[in-house]
PDB file of all heavy atoms in Angstrom:
ATOM      1  N   THR A  30     -17.299  -5.252   6.501  1.00 98.00           N
ATOM      2  CA  THR A  30     -16.395  -4.926   7.603  1.00 98.00           C
ATOM      3  C   THR A  30     -17.230  -4.480   8.798  1.00 98.00           C
ATOM      4  O   THR A  30     -18.427  -4.182   8.661  1.00 98.00           O
ATOM      5  CB  THR A  30     -15.422  -3.782   7.216  1.00 98.00           C
ATOM      6  OG1 THR A  30     -16.145  -2.544   7.220  1.00 98.00           O
ATOM      7  CG2 THR A  30     -14.800  -4.012   5.839  1.00 98.00           C
ATOM      8  N   MET A  43     -21.290   2.234  -1.973  1.00 97.00           N
ATOM      9  CA  MET A  43     -20.621   0.979  -1.668  1.00 97.00           C
ATOM     10  C   MET A  43     -20.397   0.189  -2.945  1.00 97.00           C
ATOM     11  O   MET A  43     -21.272   0.121  -3.819  1.00 97.00           O
ATOM     12  CB  MET A  43     -21.451   0.159  -0.678  1.00 97.00           C
ATOM     13  CG  MET A  43     -21.854   0.899   0.596  1.00 97.00           C
ATOM     14  SD  MET A  43     -20.450   1.463   1.600  1.00 97.00           S
ATOM     15  CE  MET A  43     -19.841  -0.090   2.264  1.00 97.00           C
ATOM     16  N   GLU A  62     -12.356  14.510  -0.909  1.00 98.00           N
ATOM     17  CA  GLU A  62     -11.763  13.586   0.058  1.00 98.00           C
ATOM     18  C   GLU A  62     -10.241  13.537  -0.095  1.00 98.00           C
ATOM     19  O   GLU A  62      -9.498  13.509   0.890  1.00 98.00           O
ATOM     20  CB  GLU A  62     -12.362  12.189  -0.139  1.00 98.00           C
ATOM     21  CG  GLU A  62     -13.833  12.117   0.233  1.00 98.00           C
ATOM     22  CD  GLU A  62     -14.472  10.782  -0.139  1.00 98.00           C
ATOM     23  OE1 GLU A  62     -13.739   9.787  -0.270  1.00 98.00           O
ATOM     24  OE2 GLU A  62     -15.696  10.747  -0.311  1.00 98.00           O
ATOM     25  N   ALA A  70      -7.069  15.566   7.788  1.00 98.00           N
ATOM     26  CA  ALA A  70      -6.954  14.160   8.196  1.00 98.00           C
ATOM     27  C   ALA A  70      -8.136  13.369   7.643  1.00 98.00           C
ATOM     28  O   ALA A  70      -9.289  13.792   7.792  1.00 98.00           O
ATOM     29  CB  ALA A  70      -6.908  14.032   9.717  1.00 98.00           C
ATOM     30  N   ASP A 116       8.765 -18.829  -5.925  1.00 97.00           N
ATOM     31  CA  ASP A 116      10.076 -19.435  -6.166  1.00 97.00           C
ATOM     32  C   ASP A 116      10.771 -18.905  -7.414  1.00 97.00           C
ATOM     33  O   ASP A 116      11.966 -19.167  -7.619  1.00 97.00           O
ATOM     34  CB  ASP A 116       9.925 -20.968  -6.261  1.00 97.00           C
ATOM     35  CG  ASP A 116       9.576 -21.576  -4.915  1.00 97.00           C
ATOM     36  OD1 ASP A 116       9.948 -20.976  -3.881  1.00 97.00           O
ATOM     37  OD2 ASP A 116       8.925 -22.634  -4.886  1.00 97.00           O
ATOM     38  N   ASN A 128       7.712  -5.726  14.728  1.00 98.00           N
ATOM     39  CA  ASN A 128       8.280  -6.552  15.795  1.00 98.00           C
ATOM     40  C   ASN A 128       7.697  -6.131  17.143  1.00 98.00           C
ATOM     41  O   ASN A 128       8.102  -5.123  17.719  1.00 98.00           O
ATOM     42  CB  ASN A 128       9.802  -6.424  15.816  1.00 98.00           C
ATOM     43  CG  ASN A 128      10.443  -7.293  16.905  1.00 98.00           C
ATOM     44  OD1 ASN A 128       9.747  -7.993  17.658  1.00 98.00           O
ATOM     45  ND2 ASN A 128      11.757  -7.267  16.977  1.00 98.00           N
ATOM     46  N   ALA A 173      -7.035   3.488   8.945  1.00 98.00           N
ATOM     47  CA  ALA A 173      -5.886   4.363   8.711  1.00 98.00           C
ATOM     48  C   ALA A 173      -6.358   5.798   8.869  1.00 98.00           C
ATOM     49  O   ALA A 173      -7.370   6.192   8.288  1.00 98.00           O
ATOM     50  CB  ALA A 173      -5.320   4.133   7.324  1.00 98.00           C
ATOM     51  N   ALA A 258       1.763   9.362  -4.230  1.00 98.00           N
ATOM     52  CA  ALA A 258       2.871   9.046  -3.327  1.00 98.00           C
ATOM     53  C   ALA A 258       3.876   8.095  -3.963  1.00 98.00           C
ATOM     54  O   ALA A 258       4.896   7.762  -3.349  1.00 98.00           O
ATOM     55  CB  ALA A 258       2.331   8.442  -2.027  1.00 98.00           C
ATOM     56  N   LEU A 311      20.342  -7.536 -17.139  1.00 98.00           N
ATOM     57  CA  LEU A 311      19.471  -8.713 -17.216  1.00 98.00           C
ATOM     58  C   LEU A 311      17.988  -8.346 -17.234  1.00 98.00           C
ATOM     59  O   LEU A 311      17.146  -9.176 -17.577  1.00 98.00           O
ATOM     60  CB  LEU A 311      19.738  -9.641 -16.024  1.00 98.00           C
ATOM     61  CG  LEU A 311      21.133 -10.276 -15.967  1.00 98.00           C
ATOM     62  CD1 LEU A 311      21.315 -11.036 -14.658  1.00 98.00           C
ATOM     63  CD2 LEU A 311      21.326 -11.216 -17.152  1.00 98.00           C
ATOM     64  N   ARG A 372      11.390  10.945 -23.113  1.00 98.00           N
ATOM     65  CA  ARG A 372      10.069  11.167 -23.705  1.00 98.00           C
ATOM     66  C   ARG A 372       9.537   9.856 -24.279  1.00 98.00           C
ATOM     67  O   ARG A 372      10.263   9.132 -24.981  1.00 98.00           O
ATOM     68  CB  ARG A 372      10.150  12.214 -24.807  1.00 98.00           C
ATOM     69  CG  ARG A 372      10.532  13.619 -24.326  1.00 98.00           C
ATOM     70  CD  ARG A 372       9.395  14.239 -23.501  1.00 98.00           C
ATOM     71  NE  ARG A 372       9.759  15.570 -23.044  1.00 98.00           N
ATOM     72  CZ  ARG A 372       9.447  16.707 -23.705  1.00 98.00           C
ATOM     73  NH1 ARG A 372       8.786  16.625 -24.848  1.00 98.00           N
ATOM     74  NH2 ARG A 372       9.806  17.875 -23.223  1.00 98.00           N
TER      75      ARG A 372
END
Side-chain angles (χ1 to χ4, degrees):
T30 75
M43 307 299 288
E62 292 172 23
D116 291 333
N128 181 0
L311 295 173
R372 295 290 180 94

